[in-house]
Amino acid sequence: MNITVKLFEMQDIKYRDFTSKLIPNISCDTVIGVRLPQLKKLAKELYKSGEYVSFVNTLPHTYFEEYHLHCYIISEIKDFEAFVIELEKLLPYIDNWSVCDSLRPKCFAKNKEIALNHIKKWLLSEHIYTQRFAIEMLMVHYLNADFKPEYLELVSKVEGEDYYLKMMVAWYFATALAKQYEATLPYIENRLIKDKWTHNKAIQKSLESYRVTNEHKAHLKSLKY
């Protein structure tokens, strides 16, 4: 199967134009215009048939949707170490929030202890979207039963001026306030998030959340810079 040809067969021009506006830091010429449910379905078909191997071994890709498809395919890998090998080939090429956030590996749920060691390493990366991915994994997998207060400190130390990195830090802390309020609140009260904009954005996102009580929202609102 020629995967690029297949993607163009699913092209929706109006959706392409819509998508391009949401991701201004990539060239609109690299966007085909394929809806995400279609990409997910194709990824599952390719993974099941095994027809994906040459595709994921060919980097860099040309099109935005090829990267999305790549993420969906490798997220299906059940063996943790095999997934990490494929992930670390891909991560340096990710250059936008949409592709980054499509990485939701199924193997993380059963490998949280070993995954955490990799996450700590990725947090120290100089590549923005490797860091963003690491923070998102902490948010998705380590804010419930597997939560430890030290994870808040790891994210609070992430520095950088990139908008999409700061937004992920804010999103993490807003989610932490919803799920682990007592442990997270000192980071807001004591202003331990290094960047003022990120601090305020975390509060803003908390105020917009239905998972944060009105009493907590009133207190958080008073803690803005």
Side-chain angles (χ1 to χ4, degrees), residues 10-44:
M10 296 187 286
Q11 184 178 47
D12 181 328
I13 299 299
K14 287 184 179 179
Y15 187 70
R16 178 199 65 189
D17 296 342
F18 170 76
T19 300
S20 297
K21 291 176 183 177
L22 293 177
I23 313 163
N25 64 314
I26 65 171
S27 169
C28 60
D29 294 334
T30 66
V31 180
I32 298 172
V34 183
R35 295 180 181 273
L36 299 187
Q38 291 177 286
L39 290 174
K40 289 178 181 179
K41 181 181 178 183
L42 178 59
K44 287 180 182 294

Side-chain angles (χ1 to χ4, degrees), residues 151-170:
Y151 304 154
L152 296 164
E153 184 176 0
L154 289 175
V155 179
S156 73
K157 289 181 177 179
V158 173
E159 296 185 49
E161 290 304 310
D162 182 83
Y163 171 84
Y164 295 102
L165 181 60
K166 293 198 293 185
M167 183 60 84
M168 179 54 75
V169 173

Side-chain angles (χ1 to χ4, degrees), residues 175-219:
T175 306
L177 284 165
K179 293 188 172 187
Q180 302 289 345
Y181 182 78
E182 296 301 330
T184 309
L185 184 60
Y187 282 82
I188 305 300
E189 289 182 326
N190 299 319
R191 299 184 173 178
L192 299 177
I193 301 173
K194 296 181 182 295
D195 181 75
K196 289 183 180 180
W197 182 93
T198 308
H199 170 99
N200 286 339
K201 183 61 69 173
I203 292 174
Q204 179 190 323
K205 292 179 77 66
S206 297
L207 298 179
E208 295 168 354
S209 173
Y210 68 88
R211 296 180 295 180
V212 178
T213 68
N214 289 335
E215 180 184 357
H216 289 168
K217 287 178 180 181
H219 182 51

